[in-house]
Amino acid sequence: MSSSIGNDIHDGVDQVDLVVIGAGWHGLMAAKTYSDVNPSSRIVVLEKATTIGGVWAEHRLYPGLKSNNMLGTYEFSDFPMTGENAFGVKPGEHIPGTVVHQYLKKFAQTFGIFEKCRFSEEVRSAEKVAPSSEEATDGGWILKIAKLDAGEGTYKLKTRKLVVATGLTSQAYIPKFPNQEGFTSPIIHCGDLLGKAEDLFDKATNVAVFGGTKSAWDAAYSFATRGIHVDWIIRESGHGPCWMAPPYVTPLKKWLEKLVSTRFLTWFSPCVWGDADGYSGMRNFLHGNAVGRAITNGFWGVLGNDVITLNAYDKHPETAKLKPWVPAFWVAAGLSILNYPTNFFDLVKEGKITIHIADIAKLEDQKIYLSATKAPIAPGSAPVPESIKADALLCSTGWTFVPSIKFFAEGGKQEIDASSIGLPYHSTALPTESESQQIKIVDDEILSRFPVLKSQPSLNPALTSLRDTDSPDTPNRPFNLYRLIVPPAFINDHSIVFNGMVQTICTPLLSQAQALWLTAYLDGRIKLPTSPSSDTTTTTTTTTTSLDAIKKETLLHNRFGKWRYPGGYGASYPDFVFDAIPYVDLLLGDLGVKINRKGGALRECFEPYGTADYVGIVEEWKELQGLAGVGSAEGAEGKKLD
């Protein structure tokens, strides 16, 4: 569906105020928030898929897919999943993928965002357009867009502001297997399973699942419960099976998703932006001295041991293979929840799912040949067979998390390198002396504040990447975004942001905070770090944005991910769990919006935060800015802070 954008033309190209790329949680909320603040702005949401939802788009909804979250923790503040919006889901139930899709579609329709969406349209490139003068606001980006349902026809669209909300899971990654061309069964990424599942349910007698993440658990369960045997291959050279927790954990039997949003419990997680919550004293105690660290270690020990005990891994030689290889403290959003209607582990004990800790040596005909060098993981477990026969190979092998859009400088001839635009990239160059010094400074700060991070976990000694690490297409440098949103090199440009480049189980909370922050930033209303500067022709001293301070803080947050979550993906992109509420605090603090919202010290510390606590934050911020009742984009952008 196409939206009307008016008659504003730039060099023969239609022009709008804002383009959002991606119609998932983050993209929809960014469009709504920007529209709330700039109600007369012309907004277009471009989505490559044929339907709304991002990871919850219709084509991604494989059989049995549910959210890790239960009803009440996976919704926007101003659109609670209650009444008709719950689509029949009851309290205490995990939310089916079809319901999440319906919810996001209804949200977009209710707030006038759906009509701004253009589906089956993929942004191929973005060319920078400089403003006509220092004071002008006619700069922005010219986008080249492919219409996927129209024979690859393309058109251009000029936008003053650009929000890239494609997320981390838009492009499926399938590795190249030895002799892959000789394999006669289909190789299917779990993200693309929907269109193939029914045929396999009808005809397959045995499928192989490759990988150890949550989608591998889902695929194994989906086929095994339909009477189709599953050979589940978990790489011997990988990170092992992901952590899978029951919905209620710790001796107090708390919801896991509410546990991670309880402020008191967030203090037990080392976090470089944690002081944004105003409780630096508690964090310093828990991480800065031996007594506090002993208490912190005890908390993580209880949490990890509770999950292992409840799942009873060690009571059967085959379920023992699913015991996580990395302590819970060192993993992030890879922590998932057992959201199945029946006991998953019974399928393993009954032999309906056979687990192999092995690598794939080669594929041939319908056979998958395995290689393993270790002895069986537990006494009595089955030896690794030479080969298995499979009617399909289902890959839970992750995503190509870098946006496929190419960015060009003005004129469209020179590509903007990924390091400048803040995206991951591949480099064989060693850091310069200056870069090494900056890295040492921030590493020293991280480790001095959180000494526990000095003792990194012992990872799998056979660990190797599933991807070709020597390939220029495989990034070995992380995202580089201020506040996880803005490329430092473009900080004074106020024309481009990256939204939702974060992996967490608190998606709605983060999407709302990021949407308001990026709206304020794009409108020039965020107070950025400054430094004094002098005019050499006068005696006047002014302040300007401090690029050095912004670069240092961005590097600090990047390096923190590397040290904090080596069992996850912290070295590549923001990946966190207990650090989500402090991150929301950080963004709201920049905006001047109230951080501590519970109305009392005990409630503030011990009552879980949820989306209901952030109802009205856009209006709060607008009132602080003197924008209450603003009725035009021009009025909303009239007052600048930097």
Side-chain angles (χ1 to χ4, degrees), residues 61-352:
L61 305 179
Y62 55 79
L65 175 64
K66 293 182 180 180
S67 70
N68 276 323
N69 303 63
M70 289 190 279
L71 186 71
T73 61
Y74 208 50
E75 61 192 25
F76 290 125
S77 295
D78 51 4
F79 200 66
M81 197 178 281
T82 56
E84 292 182 355
N85 295 338
F87 300 95
V89 181
K90 297 178 175 59
E93 292 182 348
H94 293 276
I95 308 166
T98 52
V99 170
V100 180
H101 171 76
Q102 290 173 305
Y103 169 84
L104 291 173
K105 183 176 181 180
K106 190 173 181 180
F107 168 83
Q109 291 171 331
T110 300
F111 293 102
I113 303 304
F114 192 80
E115 65 193 37
K116 303 178 190 300
C117 294
R118 301 180 181 184
F119 299 105
S120 298
E121 298 202 2
E122 182 180 24
V123 177
R124 296 289 172 80
S125 65
E127 176 190 333
K128 188 74 184 78
V129 178
S132 56
S133 68
E134 189 173 337
E135 294 78 20
T137 59
D138 57 349
W141 299 84
I142 294 178
L143 309 179
K144 184 178 181 182
I145 303 162
K147 304 184 77 168
L148 303 181
D149 60 354
E152 291 289 327
T154 62
Y155 71 99
K156 291 183 178 181
L157 179 64
K158 162 77 166 37
T159 179
R160 293 173 55 243
K161 312 287 184 181
L162 179 61
V163 177
V164 182
T166 51
L168 298 171
T169 56
S170 295
Q171 303 171 73
Y173 174 77
I174 296 181
K176 293 181 179 179
F177 299 100
N179 197 41
Q180 181 171 318
E181 65 281 357
F183 192 57
T184 56
S185 295
I187 300 174
I188 306 167
H189 192 277
C190 286
D192 299 321
L193 186 55
L194 177 64
K196 321 284 196 315
E198 292 302 327
D199 187 56
L200 289 173
F201 291 157
D202 288 341
K203 301 176 182 177
T205 58
N206 191 82
V207 299
V209 175
F210 181 59
T213 62
K214 177 61 161 59
S215 60
W217 290 70
D218 288 350
Y221 182 88
S222 184
F223 281 87
T225 52
R226 287 172 169 82
I228 300 168
H229 182 264
V230 175
D231 279 296
W232 186 1
I233 306 163
I234 299 175
R235 283 200 309 139
E236 184 187 43
S237 59
H239 286 282
C242 69
W243 277 83
M244 291 288 285
Y248 302 93
V249 294
T250 77
L252 299 177
K253 295 296 176 276
K254 296 293 186 181
W255 284 18
L256 180 61
E257 59 264 44
K258 289 190 174 183
L259 203 70
V260 304
S261 63
T262 301
R263 192 175 296 287
F264 169 71
L265 298 178
T266 69
W267 298 337
F268 290 94
S269 179
C271 180
V272 292
W273 55 75
D275 290 352
D277 66 4
Y279 291 89
S280 58
M282 285 301 302
R283 290 182 181 277
N284 291 339
F285 167 72
L286 289 170
H287 302 285
N289 65 76
V291 174
R293 289 194 291 273
I295 296 171
T296 299
N297 291 340
F299 165 77
W300 287 99
V302 168
L303 182 62
N305 290 334
D306 189 62
V307 171
I308 289 172
T309 301
L310 289 171
N311 288 344
Y313 291 115
D314 294 326
K315 290 189 176 181
H316 192 281
E318 289 301 302
T319 58
K321 296 178 180 180
L322 293 175
K323 192 174 179 179
W325 299 357
V326 182
F329 176 84
W330 300 102
V331 299
L335 173 66
S336 292
I337 296 177
L338 290 161
N339 55 3
Y340 308 109
T342 59
N343 190 309
F344 183 97
F345 299 104
D346 286 346
L347 298 171
V348 179
K349 296 172 187 175
E350 294 164 5
K352 296 177 180 178

Side-chain angles (χ1 to χ4, degrees), residues 314-557:
D314 294 326
K315 290 189 176 181
H316 192 281
E318 289 301 302
T319 58
K321 296 178 180 180
L322 293 175
K323 192 174 179 179
W325 299 357
V326 182
F329 176 84
W330 300 102
V331 299
L335 173 66
S336 292
I337 296 177
L338 290 161
N339 55 3
Y340 308 109
T342 59
N343 190 309
F344 183 97
F345 299 104
D346 286 346
L347 298 171
V348 179
K349 296 172 187 175
E350 294 164 5
K352 296 177 180 178
I353 298 175
T354 302
I355 301 166
H356 311 285
I357 308 299
D359 290 289
I360 293 179
K362 69 174 181 176
L363 305 177
E364 187 176 287
D365 298 327
Q366 281 189 298
K367 288 186 177 181
I368 301 171
Y369 288 84
L370 305 179
S371 63
T373 57
K374 291 193 301 188
I377 197 166
S381 61
V384 176
E386 180 182 358
S387 67
I388 55 177
K389 183 179 179 181
D391 296 309
L393 173 58
L394 311 179
C395 295
S396 176
T397 47
W399 306 86
T400 302
F401 51 84
V402 184
S404 59
I405 305 164
K406 293 185 179 298
F407 295 89
F408 290 93
E410 188 175 4
K413 294 183 179 180
Q414 182 175 352
E415 188 171 350
I416 301 173
D417 63 89
S419 62
S420 295
I421 204 72
L423 297 178
Y425 63 98
H426 183 91
S427 176
T428 57
L430 295 174
T432 65
E433 184 177 348
S434 175
E435 290 170 340
S436 297
Q437 185 178 12
Q438 289 299 313
I439 290 172
K440 183 179 186 308
I441 288 171
V442 299
D443 282 354
D444 287 347
E445 179 179 339
I446 293 166
L447 299 179
S448 64
R449 288 176 61 186
F450 307 110
V452 67
L453 301 183
K454 295 178 183 178
S455 302
Q456 292 282 289
S458 298
L459 300 178
N460 179 6
L463 183 65
T464 57
S465 176
L466 193 58
R467 309 181 191 219
D468 180 3
T469 55
D470 294 327
S471 169
D473 296 327
T474 302
N476 58 9
R477 300 291 189 272
F479 279 94
N480 188 53
L481 302 170
Y482 177 69
R483 293 295 195 252
L484 316 184
I485 299 175
V486 186
F490 285 79
I491 197 71
N492 291 317
D493 191 65
H494 298 279
S495 73
I496 184 169
V497 293
F498 292 85
N499 185 24
M501 303 301 175
V502 179
Q503 183 166 280
T504 176
I505 65 173
C506 300
T507 298
L509 290 175
L510 264 67
S511 68
Q512 295 176 168
Q514 283 198 331
L516 183 54
W517 193 98
L518 69 85
T519 295
Y521 164 76
L522 292 174
D523 285 356
R525 294 175 172 276
I526 283 287
K527 290 184 177 179
L528 300 169
T530 58
S531 58
S533 61
S534 300
D535 187 336
T536 56
T537 63
T538 69
T539 58
T540 304
T541 299
T542 60
T543 59
T544 58
T545 300
S546 174
L547 187 57
D548 286 342
I550 285 169
K551 286 182 175 179
K552 180 182 177 183
E553 184 162 310
T554 302
L555 180 61
L556 177 69
H557 291 174

